[in-house]
Amino acid sequence: MNKDMESLRNILGKARRICVLTGAGVSAESGVPTFRGDAGIWKNHNPMDLATPQAFDRDPELVWEFYAWRRMRMREVAPNPAHFALAALERIAPHFTLITQNVDGLHQSAGSENVLEIHGSIWTLRCPHCGAEEENREPDLPPLPRCADCGGLLRPGVVWFGEPLDARVWDRAVTVISECEVFLSVGTSALVQPAASLALAAQNVGAVTAEVNPEPTEQTEAMDYAFTGKAGILLPGLVPEQNA
Ligand code: BV8
Ligand code: ZN
């Protein structure tokens, strides 16, 4: 354990308000492909062809095929030690909020409770025509799922590029960041906005900031702590002993 890990673990053990931002990297060791990087999803697909409202209008069947493939992949995976470590940290901290860009639901499967899914959830189907929304984990959706209420074409309940985040969820995230004492950024390339702006917001309120990522990001330099490595390996070492 390097001294920085021990120092941050002690800070986490004493902190009252902890915020964590996660990205696709926290699910990588569960077998969920990330977006960028060598095996990333965007390597073979242009996000603008699959994760925008225009793409859905242009070719809903292609976009649904992409999400059906991801739902199938995500159904087969389980939380990894990174997810469990964050759930353990939540049980220790008086106030803990997990802000995730991920849509896979693995944090909740690992026991995290106070989770803000700022990019939505792949398990939610939403009807843009009548507003109906449903939780659905069915393995084989039809190629173009229809709304039971109005017959309209359903869409995945995720936030696409060019779409605003849900205002209530985003406002909540901004509020908890404005009060946080420690901010952890785990497994995100810090390229997507406005999620990536949370790290600077945390710094601006004087929070201790830390990053866990095998690769450097644009934010690494500005972090108080930066741990180069996999979240599933490093995060368990940052969780203070329960009776510390
Ligand atoms: C908005 C849900 C405004 C869907 C996602 C030009 C054109 C159009 C838009 C823009 C533009 N320029 C800027 C924008 C804004 C845009 C944006 O930021 N684009 C970027 C790409 C430049 N943002 C938006 O459009 C947002 N909306 O701005 O609205 C607005 C306001 C009012 C009114 C109208 C409009 C919406 C953004 C949300 C998009 N939806 N996902 C889906 O999942 O299918 S984004 C997608 O990227 C995922 O949510 C993902 O989580 C997120 C961020 O990526 P990461 O999570 O960081 O994943 P990535 O693969 O990049 O990185 C993984 C990291 O993990 C790496 O660093 C890697 O090193 C690390 N790692 C790997 N293994 C491990 C690990 N770490 C730890 N352990 C490991 N084992
Ligand atoms: Zn409907």
Side-chain angles (χ1 to χ4, degrees):
M1 167 88 65
N2 73 38
K3 70 168 179 48
D4 281 352
M5 290 278 283
E6 197 168 336
S7 146
L8 181 58
R9 198 182 57 202
N10 291 334
I11 292 170
L12 287 166
K14 296 186 180 73
R16 295 191 50 70
R17 296 179 178 281
I18 299 173
C19 274
V20 180
L21 172 69
T22 61
V26 83
S27 296
E29 289 153 271
S30 296
V32 180
T34 60
F35 290 88
R36 297 161 187 90
D38 296 347
I41 294 177
W42 296 150
K43 196 151 169 59
N44 304 318
H45 299 289
N46 175 353
M48 297 305 152
D49 294 341
L50 292 168
T52 63
Q54 293 78 10
F56 189 64
D57 291 344
R58 187 173 53 241
D59 190 344
E61 205 146 348
L62 174 68
V63 172
W64 262 117
E65 194 183 317
F66 173 55
Y67 282 91
W69 172 73
R70 289 179 61 202
R71 284 165 58 103
M72 181 271 293
R73 290 287 304 260
M74 289 175 183
R75 202 177 288 105
E76 291 159 2
V77 300
N80 69 64
H83 296 106
F84 290 116
L86 292 173
L89 194 52
E90 177 174 7
R91 289 192 288 273
I92 294 169
H95 302 278
F96 182 95
T97 304
L98 178 50
I99 302 165
T100 188
Q101 299 171 87
N102 300 340
V103 297
D104 55 32
L106 285 175
H107 285 303
Q108 293 91 326
S109 305
S112 289
E113 293 181 3
N114 195 11
V115 182
L116 296 176
E117 292 179 313
I118 56 172
H119 290 164
S121 167
I122 203 162
W123 307 116
T124 300
L125 306 187
R126 189 166 71 230
C127 177
H129 311 284
C130 73
E133 203 163 271
E134 65 172 80
E135 268 302 292
N136 176 309
R137 288 182 180 250
E138 295 306 309
D140 34 24
L141 292 175
L144 290 172
R146 292 269 162 201
C147 173
D149 298 351
C150 75
L153 178 59
L154 294 173
R155 59 164 284 175
V158 299
V159 179
W160 280 325
F161 290 106
E163 290 189 316
L165 278 59
D166 178 304
R168 287 157 307 165
V169 178
W170 179 245
D171 290 350
R172 182 78 195 124
V174 170
T175 302
V176 292
I177 287 284
S178 71
E179 298 160 349
C180 81
E181 296 163 33
V182 187
F183 171 80
L184 302 183
S185 174
V186 183
T188 182
S189 58
L191 293 173
V192 172
Q193 295 297 354
S197 67
L198 294 174
L200 186 60
Q203 270 149 16
N204 289 344
V205 294
V208 172
T209 57
E211 182 182 69
V212 175
N213 195 320
E215 303 290 329
T217 70
E218 289 166 3
Q219 300 182 341
T220 306
E221 280 302 302
M223 293 284 174
D224 296 315
Y225 294 86
F227 301 107
T228 304
K230 295 185 173 186
I233 307 284
L234 293 177
L235 280 188
L238 286 175
V239 180
E241 300 305 319
Q242 182 85 28
N243 48 11

